[in-house]
Amino acid sequence: MSTYRALPLIACIVSFGASAQATPTPNTCVNAGCHKGVVSDAKHAAKDIDCHACHSNVTDGKPHGSALDELPPKQLCAQSGCHAEVGAKVARGKHKDSECSTCHGDSHGKFVRTNWNACKACHGDQVAQFKTSIHGTAAKQVRCLDCHGDLHEPKGHKDPTAPMSKVLQVTTCSECHDTEYVRAFRTSVHGQGLLRSGLAVAPTCSTCHGAHDIAKVKSETSKVAKVNSVETCGQCHEFIVTRWKESTHGQKWLGDKDPARVKPGAEPQTPTAERPLKYPVCVTCHSGHKTFDPMVYANNLKMADTCGACHAEASRTYRESFHGKATRLGQAAAATCADCHTPHYMLPATDPQSTVQPANLAATCGRCHPGASGEFLKFDVHADPGNKARNAKVYWIFKFMTLLLFGVMGFFAVHAILWLQRAIVAALRHELPKGEKPGEPWVRRFRPIHIGIHVAIVLTFLALGATGLPLKFSGQAWARPIESLFGGPAANQLLHRIAGVLTFGYAAVYLAYLLYEALVKRTKGLFWGWASMTPRWKDLQDLWANFKWFCYRGKPPHLDRWAYWEKFDFFAVFWGIPMIGISGLMLWAPMWFTKFLPGWALNVAYVIHSDEALLATGFIFFFHFFHTHLRPEAFPMDTVMFLGGMPLSRFQHERPDEYARAVADGTLDKLLMPPPDERARRRANIFGAVTLAIGVLLALLLLVTGISAL
């Protein structure tokens, strides 16, 4: 060895020889020339950690050119008193066989804090994926420890306590993604299965989005992009996806991705990069984070709205049908799109395998209607009464009912408006009679049987209106709350049918009463004449006279026993009972009626029942209430029907022809009755006020519905 080369070693020996127990320092080790360029990293140097802290065996002043550390570096870091806690973690974790320098680099001036670059030596594939992912390219770069936790004690993803385990992964991801989507996932069928039921097979974030290769949702490389969602969902729902690929939706999707896989005879497609996004796939119908079990919480009842995003016309006609209206109100037993078309194996009606193919309808409809066959199966569940090409018979009946509805409502709207303004003027001019005089006798107008039947009419009509209108206008915000008052769809339907049967009951009682009066008591004038409800020429004269009075061109008509509007009210009821009642029975027992009627007769019954009921409720709540209670002459309420009579002075003013006849033939005294007592008046006022208030409320709801439809 030359003298020049021996100088550093000599200097080192000399310096150590100064003291047998000298402790090496960085300056000594470096200046001696043996460890030139070897320095502590800044982090260690800042804490005055010198060579001896790690190299404690070099203390005897002897040459140590070939000396080794007493412990491996990893154990030195752990047992030197500086990193004991970290060392204990490493010993327990997945990195227990790795040296500190694997991640942190050389401690002699090259120490680095960990990031994903430090991990690539062992996890190269994962880091390569991560570098191009949305996390790796984000402005605020995500680090491995952000997801995997303390890297000194990492846990495998199969460890249930690991931050990226299936159960805890949602919590870990939500630290950055605490959005409505993550919150929705927690309550979804996937989230509930994972977090509540602890199902290991339930998907979590990485199941759908990937682990290290997460891409933007709108990117075509994303696993949850529409174009890739079928394969992603198929990882768990293999059987459903296999069936779906044979459906109309699946065939169109396959036609874009791989035309060779389309079934023979299916619609040919031109594969492009964009077209798959136009066809429904899993995430079109099942929102990724908000996926719910369609068979719980009545989620299936919302299906028509989901399908309507693509099938707008079919959804519209479905919503106008009984099935569609009932499902909108929460009737779980009513059929939805999937009940008829299946949820994942939907096929065109022309396909022999389709559930809506005519040859298969008995089995499809029979699931809800056991024994369905024949003409019942020809009932059009997607009927469109306004489409003549679909069924001309239904179309023309619909047109007739529409003309009748608008004709009657329009005429009486004009009649009521003209009457109201004229009556207000008459009241200001003091042309109307004053109130009842003290001790004034009353004139009997109705017998107890008339009062009883009218009470039955009031109660059943309000029940029918309150239970039928929510179904008619199921899309209105007020429909569900009103139906809920009666206990929900099933109870609502039961009450509606009970009220319908009672309606037939009071109609039968009245017909029996008429026959008894005519055939047994031989009462004259029941079917013709001044005491009859049968229209006659004088009614047209009274109508014309009233319009002249409305327009300040004459005096009001001299009315007899019945006014023309009262006769209209009467025949509206007895026209409506068979029209609404029989059509309602047909809808109640459709399979029995289609034993001798064609299937389209049910569509006709639906139109008649719906529109005639609307006409009846609209006329009663708007115009009958006005004619009887709300016009200035009778406001706020006319109790004549409940008390059976009216004061004599009012009788003279309102029925001058009947009064004159009674005076002339000497029968007026037989018509007189004592004024009702206070108890009877109070009972009539309470009953009338409550029922009138219910009717006015329903009228307002009809008015709001009509305005919203404009």
Side-chain angles (χ1 to χ4, degrees), residues 116 129-144 146-147 164 172-173 176-177 205 209-216:
W116 52 265
Q129 293 177 345
F130 178 82
K131 288 174 66 176
T132 59
S133 72
I134 190 172
H135 285 159
T137 57
K140 183 180 179 181
Q141 198 174 74
V142 178
R143 300 171 300 169
C144 302
D146 292 327
C147 298
M164 291 307 289
T172 301
C173 295
C176 297
H177 303 284
C205 308
H209 292 277
H212 298 92
D213 56 345
I214 301 173
K216 290 184 178 180

Side-chain angles (χ1 to χ4, degrees), residues 476-615:
Q476 295 295 312
W478 52 263
R480 287 292 289 269
I482 289 183
E483 190 184 56
S484 298
L485 290 176
F486 298 100
N492 210 60
Q493 189 178 72
L494 177 62
L495 289 173
H496 193 79
R497 290 173 174 176
I498 290 174
V501 171
L502 293 177
T503 298
F504 280 119
Y506 74 67
V509 169
Y510 185 74
L511 290 175
Y513 162 75
L514 285 180
L515 293 175
Y516 175 78
E517 288 286 326
L519 301 178
V520 178
K521 297 184 67 174
R522 303 290 182 177
T523 303
K524 304 295 183 181
L526 289 175
F527 302 105
W528 188 255
W530 65 271
S532 170
M533 294 297 287
T534 306
R536 55 188 183 135
W537 179 249
K538 186 179 185 307
D539 295 317
L540 290 176
Q541 293 175 324
D542 291 345
L543 174 63
W544 178 246
N546 230 1
F547 268 105
K548 291 174 65 177
W549 180 65
F550 294 160
C551 299
Y552 307 92
R553 291 292 184 266
K555 296 181 179 181
H558 281 206
L559 300 177
D560 210 325
R561 170 67 174 162
W562 304 110
Y564 62 85
W565 65 84
E566 292 171 337
K567 293 183 178 181
F568 191 92
D569 289 354
F570 177 85
F571 280 103
V573 171
F574 279 90
W575 152 274
I577 288 176
M579 293 291 289
I580 301 175
I582 294 175
S583 60
L585 287 175
M586 292 176 64
L587 299 175
W588 188 354
M591 287 195 290
W592 186 83
F593 278 93
T594 49
K595 289 180 180 180
F596 51 88
L597 291 175
W600 57 262
L602 297 178
N603 296 111
V604 170
Y606 186 82
V607 170
I608 292 176
H609 192 78
S610 178
D611 288 2
E612 180 63 26
L614 179 60
L615 174 59

Side-chain angles (χ1 to χ4, degrees), residues 221-391:
T221 62
S222 172
K223 293 183 178 181
V224 294
K226 291 186 70 174
V227 68
N228 300 320
S229 63
V230 176
E231 282 88 355
T232 300
C233 297
Q235 296 175 88
C236 299
H237 305 283
E238 183 178 2
F239 177 77
I240 289 177
V241 167
T242 300
R243 291 284 286 173
W244 177 84
K245 288 179 179 179
E246 298 177 1
S247 72
T248 301
H249 294 159
Q251 287 293 294
K252 290 183 176 181
W253 179 80
L254 283 172
D256 283 334
K257 292 183 70 65
D258 185 2
R261 297 179 64 187
V262 177
K263 291 190 299 184
E267 180 183 352
Q269 306 295 324
T270 302
T272 65
E274 296 80 14
R275 288 192 64 185
L277 303 182
K278 295 183 179 180
Y279 298 126
V281 292
C282 307
V283 294
T284 307
C285 304
H286 304 281
S287 175
H289 295 91
K290 301 178 182 179
T291 299
F292 296 104
D293 187 338
M295 301 312 296
V296 299
Y297 307 126
N299 290 310
N300 63 314
L301 303 182
K302 306 170 186 176
M303 191 173 298
D305 298 328
T306 302
C307 298
C310 298
H311 306 282
E313 183 61 17
S315 178
R316 181 188 69 81
T317 55
Y318 170 81
R319 282 303 188 196
E320 289 299 317
S321 71
F322 171 78
H323 290 153
K325 292 180 177 181
T327 54
R328 184 178 271 156
L329 292 177
Q331 187 168 348
T336 63
C337 309
D339 290 312
C340 300
H341 297 277
T342 77
H344 300 103
Y345 192 55
M346 62 292 296
L347 297 168
T350 55
D351 192 305
Q353 299 297 318
S354 172
T355 52
V356 294
Q357 209 274 343
N360 301 325
L361 283 177
T364 301
C365 300
R367 290 198 294 267
C368 297
H369 305 278
S373 62
E375 288 295 323
F376 174 77
L377 301 176
K378 297 180 181 180
F379 167 69
D380 189 352
V381 294
H382 281 282
D384 183 4
N387 185 351
K388 184 179 178 181
R390 197 169 185 102
N391 190 308

